[in-house]
Amino acid sequence: MEANLTKSLFILFLPLISFIYQIFFGKYLGRNTHYVSIALIGAVLYLSVSFLLQSISKGYGTILEVSEVWFSSTDFSVHLGIFVDNIASIMLCVVAFISFLVHIYSTEYMKDDPRYSRYFGYLGIFTFSMNGIVLADSLIMMYIFWELVGLSSYLLIGFWFEKDSAANACKKAFLTNRVGDIGMFIGIMILFFSVGSFNINDIINSTINMDPYLLTIAGLLVFMGAVGKSAQFPLHIWLPDAMEGPTPVSALIHAATMVAAGVYMTFRIFPFLTPDALFVIAFIGAITAFCAAIMAITRNDIKAVLAYSTISQLGYMIMALGVGAHLYAFFHLVTHAMFKACLFLCSGSVIHAMHHSLHHLHDHDTDPQDMNNMGGLKEKMPITHIAMLVSTLAIAGVPFFSGFLSKDGILAGTLSYYHMHHGISILLPMAGFGAAMITAFYMFRLIFMTFYGEPKKPEIFKHVHESPLPMTIPLIVLSLLSTAFAFTLNFNPLKSKGWFKSLIGKSQHNFLDMNVIKDGIHHAHYDAMYLSLFVATSGILISVLFYYFKKVDVDKIAKIFNTVGLYGLSRNKFYIDRIYNAILYKPFMFMTKVFSWIDWDFYDKIFINGWGWITLKLSAITGYTDYNWLDQKIIDGTGKLSNYLSHKLKTTQSGVIQNYLLSGTIGLIIVFIIFQNL
C-alpha cells in the first residue's frame, strides 16, 4: 500500500513540479526547457502504466484507497483521499499518454513561439489537474481539481491572447463552464447534507435510502458539471470556439482529456443515478450527438469539423451512460481519446505545413485551416494522410478499427433501451444511427477535401512538405492505437471482447438490474452491428460520390437543402448562439448599460458631482463673505478704527497734570449728568 500511495502522489505532483519549474526557471534553458517537462511527464506515464499492469494482473478490484481528514467540526468532518481501481488506472494512462505525446509534438509545433516555456508550464498544470480528478475519492476533491482544469484550460485556450478571437474564446469557455459548475456544486452539497459524506463510495452505499425525487435532482445537478465540461447541449457552444488555442492543446484538452472529464465523472456517479435522471441524461446525449453531427457537415475549417465531431462523440458517451451501457461509454472514451487525438494532431500537421508554405509565399491573407485551400496533400504528406485515414476509419465505425468496437456497444445499448421502454425512447437509436451515418459522411468529406483531388491552390501546394519526426511519430503511435487489435489482441473484426473489455467488465447500480441490461445489450448486439455497418458504409459511399468522384454538384444540393432551411440550420449552428445572444447576452448587456448609466451618469455625474458643484458654490460664497466682509471690513475695519482712535487719544497725553485733572473733572460731570437723567 505504501508503494502504491507513493506512486499515486508522484503521478499527481510531478506535473505540478513541471509547471512550477517552467514558470519560474524555464526561460533560463531557452528552447531546451521542454526536456524537463517531457522527462517528468514520461515518469508519470511509466508510473501510470505500472498501475495498469497491476490491474491486469490482479483482475477487477481496488488497487489503492486511502483517506485523511482535511478539516472537521463538532458536527461533521471532510476527508480528502486517493482511490485507484481498474477504471482510474486506465484513465491515468490515457491522460499521461496523450499528454506525453502532445509534449513531444509541441517541441516542433511551438518551437518559434516567444512564450515557449510558459506553454509547457500550462501543459503541466493541466495534467496535474486532470490527474487530480482521476485520483479523487470524493466529490469535493474532484470538484477542487475540476475548477483547476477550468483554469488551466482557460490559460491554454487563450494562450495566444493577443488575438481577440482567442481572448474571447477562453472567456466564453470559462464562463460557460461556470454555469455547469454551479449546478454541480449545489448537487454535491445536497448529497453531502443527505448522506453526511463527500466520499463517492459512501454516497453510492447510502443513496439507496434517499428520497428518489431529491436524489434525481441531486444527480442531475451534479451531471450539470459534465454538461459544461463535456460540451453537452445546451452548454456545448464553447468548444468550437476553443479551437483558437494551439492545435496540440486541442488534441490534449478538447479531444482526449478535459472534455472526457465529464464522462468520467458521470461514470463514477452512475451507480446512484435514478432511472429518471438517466432518462434525461440519455436524451441530452442523443440531442448532442445528432445535432453536433449535423453542424459538422457544413464546416470548412478543418479544426471546426473535428470540434463538432468531438461534441457528437461525447454525446454518444453520455447517451450510453443514460441507457445503462456505461461500460461501453468508458470504452468509447478511451478509443475516442486515441483516434481523436490522432485526428487533431494530423490536422495540426496539415496546418503547420500550410502555414509554412504561406509564410514562404508571404501570403498573410489565406486561411491555412480552410479545407477549400487544400487538396492533393496525400502526395506531399503521406504519413499524415495514412494516420488521418486510419483514425477516420476508426471514428466512422469500420471493422478492424477501435471505434467499431465501442460504438457498436453504444448503439446496441440504445436498441436494448427501446425494447425495454418503447414509446419516445425510439428517438435514442434513431439519433445514434443517424449520427453514425453523418459522422462517416463528414469525416470522409474532410479526408477527400484535404488529401485528394487536385490542389485548390497549386502555388501553396508546391511548398507543402511532410512534418518533421517529432510531429509524425505521435501520429504513427496514435494511429496504431486506433486499430481494434490494440484493444482485443484479436484480429477478428467482429469480436469486441478482449483484454480491455474484461478489465472494465464490472457493473453496479443501486436501482437497475444490470444483468437484465447486459442481456438486453447482448441480444441487440447483432442488430446494432449490422445496422451500424450499413449506416457507416452509406455515409462513406455518399461522401465518395460527392467529394471523390464528384458525381453530384454539392452546391446544388446545398441550395436544395437551403430552400427548406436545413443548410442554414447547420451552417448557423441551429441558431443556438444567436438565441443565447438574444435572450441572455443582449438583455445582460442592456442591464449593464442601465446600471452603468445609473452609476456613472446619474449617481456620479448628477448626484456626486452635483453635491460637489453645490459645495464649490457655497464655499465660494462663504469664502467671499469671510474674506471680503468679515476679514476685510469688520475685522480689519475694527482694527483700523482702534488704531485711529488710539492714535488720536495718544495726542491728549501731554504730560501736564492740570490737563489730566481737567479731563477727569469733565468726565465726572458727564457721568453725573447721565445718572441724573436715568
Side-chain angles (χ1 to χ4, degrees):
M1 178 176 168
E2 289 293 330
N4 286 337
L5 178 59
T6 303
K7 280 199 296 186
S8 64
L9 291 174
F10 272 116
I11 289 171
L12 180 60
F13 288 108
L14 283 178
L16 181 62
I17 293 171
S18 172
F19 166 73
I20 294 170
Y21 169 79
Q22 295 292 356
I23 294 301
F24 292 102
F25 310 105
K27 60 184 179 181
Y28 299 112
L29 279 181
R31 297 297 162 179
N32 294 319
T33 191
H34 59 261
Y35 289 113
V36 176
S37 292
I38 291 174
L40 291 170
I41 300 301
V44 172
L45 177 59
Y46 172 78
L47 295 171
S48 300
V49 171
S50 72
F51 268 140
L52 180 61
L53 294 175
Q54 250 182 282
S55 299
I56 294 172
S57 63
K58 186 177 180 179
Y60 196 91
T62 301
I63 301 172
L64 175 66
E65 187 172 8
V66 62
S67 182
E68 296 291 339
V69 177
W70 183 21
F71 66 86
S72 61
S73 69
T74 55
D75 299 323
F76 65 90
S77 60
V78 177
H79 292 72
L80 296 180
I82 292 173
F83 179 79
V84 182
D85 61 356
N86 295 34
I87 301 299
S89 65
I90 294 170
M91 196 66 188
L92 285 172
C93 286
V94 171
V95 173
F97 181 67
I98 301 297
S99 180
F100 183 69
L101 291 181
V102 166
H103 274 73
I104 294 173
Y105 185 95
S106 298
T107 59
E108 184 65 32
Y109 192 90
M110 300 293 292
K111 67 178 182 180
D112 297 324
D113 197 279
R115 296 186 290 271
Y116 192 68
S117 61
R118 185 188 299 183
Y119 171 80
F120 283 96
Y122 291 169
L123 291 182
I125 191 134
F126 174 82
T127 307
F128 163 71
S129 307
M130 273 302 306
N131 285 342
I133 290 175
V134 177
L135 292 169
D137 74 331
S138 65
L139 287 177
I140 193 65
M141 183 176 173
M142 185 178 286
Y143 186 78
I144 292 168
F145 285 102
W146 194 270
E147 293 299 325
L148 278 174
V149 165
L151 172 64
S152 53
S153 64
Y154 171 85
L155 296 172
L156 285 166
I157 295 168
F159 184 75
W160 290 322
F161 55 82
E162 59 272 9
K163 296 195 301 181
D164 290 339
S165 56
N168 292 331
C170 69
K171 287 186 288 186
K172 186 176 183 179
F174 191 80
L175 293 174
T176 305
N177 275 273
R178 293 294 73 71
V179 176
D181 295 351
I182 290 170
M184 181 181 178
F185 184 76
I186 295 171
I188 292 172
M189 289 298 107
I190 292 173
L191 291 171
F192 174 73
F193 286 110
S194 300
V195 175
S197 174
F198 289 112
N199 186 275
I200 296 173
N201 288 328
D202 290 345
I203 294 172
I204 291 171
N205 295 328
S206 303
T207 48
I208 298 174
N209 302 316
M210 270 186 70
D211 176 30
Y213 180 73
L214 182 63
L215 184 57
T216 299
I217 293 174
L220 288 175
L221 284 169
V222 176
F223 173 69
M224 277 186 65
V227 174
K229 277 288 187 291
S230 292
Q232 297 298 290
F233 176 86
L235 299 181
H236 65 281
I237 58 172
W238 67 269
L239 196 142
D241 292 26
M243 297 300 114
E244 287 293 337
T247 301
V249 169
S250 302
L252 178 63
I253 68 177
H254 305 128
T257 51
M258 174 188 167
V259 292
V263 179
Y264 177 79
M265 183 271 291
T266 310
F267 182 91
R268 283 300 193 194
I269 68 171
F270 173 78
F272 67 77
L273 292 172
T274 64
D276 290 337
L278 290 172
F279 178 82
V280 175
I281 290 169
F283 272 89
I284 288 175
I287 293 169
T288 305
F290 186 76
C291 292
I294 294 289
M295 297 177 200
I297 294 175
T298 55
R299 304 298 119 190
N300 292 319
D301 186 304
I302 190 169
K303 285 179 68 176
V305 175
L306 298 179
Y308 284 103
S309 169
T310 298
I311 298 171
S312 182
Q313 297 303 305
L314 290 166
Y316 264 109
M317 301 174 207
I318 295 297
M319 181 173 61
L321 287 161
V323 300
H326 65 301
L327 296 179
Y328 285 100
F330 186 75
F331 195 179
H332 198 59
L333 184 156
V334 178
T335 59
H336 175 263
M338 301 304 159
F339 60 68
K340 185 52 64 71
C342 185
L343 286 168
F344 265 111
L345 294 183
C346 285
S347 72
S349 178
V350 171
I351 295 167
H352 183 266
M354 291 286 293
H355 178 78
H356 277 271
S357 176
L358 292 169
H359 182 75
H360 182 82
L361 296 170
H362 304 288
D363 184 349
H364 304 292
D365 299 320
T366 302
D367 186 358
Q369 297 182 192
D370 192 339
M371 294 185 295
N372 290 316
N373 299 324
M374 302 174 188
L377 295 183
K378 70 181 181 73
E379 297 178 14
K380 292 293 189 75
M381 307 181 74
I383 298 174
T384 301
H385 163 243
I386 294 172
M388 200 161 198
L389 181 61
V390 169
S391 50
T392 297
L393 290 166
I395 196 174
V398 175
F400 294 106
F401 299 93
S402 61
F404 171 79
L405 304 177
S406 53
K407 192 178 285 188
D408 180 49
I410 295 173
L411 295 173
T414 63
L415 284 176
S416 173
Y417 191 86
Y418 167 65
H419 292 153
M420 288 188 288
H421 296 87
H422 303 287
I424 195 174
S425 60
I426 185 63
L427 295 175
L428 298 176
M430 288 176 64
F433 286 104
M437 182 176 177
I438 297 168
T439 299
F441 169 76
Y442 70 67
M443 286 306 304
F444 273 89
R445 171 181 177 265
L446 182 151
I447 290 290
F448 294 139
M449 289 184 69
T450 304
F451 294 101
Y452 290 83
E454 295 296 322
K456 307 296 192 302
K457 295 190 176 183
E459 66 279 7
I460 299 175
F461 176 81
K462 189 188 305 182
H463 299 285
V464 169
H465 56 80
E466 184 62 272
S467 298
L469 280 178
M471 294 177 68
T472 54
I473 288 174
L475 304 185
I476 296 169
V477 175
L478 287 168
S479 61
L480 291 173
L481 292 173
S482 298
T483 61
F485 177 78
F487 295 91
T488 63
L489 299 180
N490 191 310
F491 286 102
N492 184 350
L494 304 180
K495 187 174 181 180
S496 64
K497 196 167 183 179
W499 71 271
F500 186 86
K501 197 169 172 192
S502 301
L503 193 61
I504 62 173
K506 184 181 178 182
S507 300
Q508 176 191 357
H509 201 275
N510 289 349
F511 309 102
L512 301 176
D513 189 337
M514 296 308 298
N515 290 322
V516 173
I517 293 174
K518 184 179 178 182
D519 290 341
I521 294 174
H522 177 72
H523 287 114
H525 171 71
Y526 284 103
D527 290 339
M529 182 179 65
Y530 296 139
L531 279 171
S532 66
L533 286 172
F534 172 76
V535 297
T537 304
S538 300
I540 294 170
L541 289 176
I542 295 171
S543 186
V544 169
L545 190 65
F546 280 29
Y547 293 97
Y548 185 78
F549 291 114
K550 299 181 179 178
K551 298 295 184 182
V552 179
D553 192 331
V554 179
D555 293 331
K556 285 184 178 180
I557 297 293
K559 287 179 181 178
I560 293 169
F561 277 100
N562 202 38
T563 55
V564 292
L566 293 178
Y567 182 84
L569 201 65
S570 171
R571 191 65 188 164
N572 292 287
K573 301 172 285 188
F574 284 77
Y575 301 97
I576 294 172
D577 282 275
R578 294 188 185 184
I579 293 170
Y580 281 150
N581 189 56
I583 67 173
L584 292 175
Y585 180 74
K586 285 186 176 179
F588 179 78
M589 293 305 296
F590 174 76
M591 291 303 298
T592 58
K593 289 180 180 179
V594 170
F595 286 120
S596 175
W597 182 88
I598 293 172
D599 180 57
W600 176 248
D601 292 280
F602 177 76
Y603 187 73
D604 277 358
K605 289 186 177 181
I606 297 175
F607 189 74
I608 302 298
N609 291 351
W611 276 113
W613 182 85
I614 292 171
T615 303
L616 285 173
K617 294 299 180 184
L618 289 174
S619 64
I621 293 170
T622 55
Y624 178 83
T625 305
D626 180 62
Y627 183 75
N628 292 79
W629 284 95
L630 187 61
D631 281 358
Q632 296 289 319
K633 304 291 187 198
I634 298 175
I635 304 299
D636 291 357
T638 303
K640 289 177 180 179
L641 180 61
S642 299
N643 187 50
Y644 175 78
L645 293 175
S646 64
H647 181 73
K648 292 298 181 182
L649 289 172
K650 183 179 178 181
T651 57
T652 61
Q653 297 180 356
S654 59
V656 181
I657 192 167
Q658 292 88 343
N659 291 342
Y660 296 150
L661 290 171
L662 178 63
S663 299
T665 303
I666 293 171
L668 287 172
I669 293 170
I670 293 171
V671 170
F672 179 77
I673 293 169
I674 292 170
F675 276 98
Q676 280 291 111
N677 291 328
L678 293 176

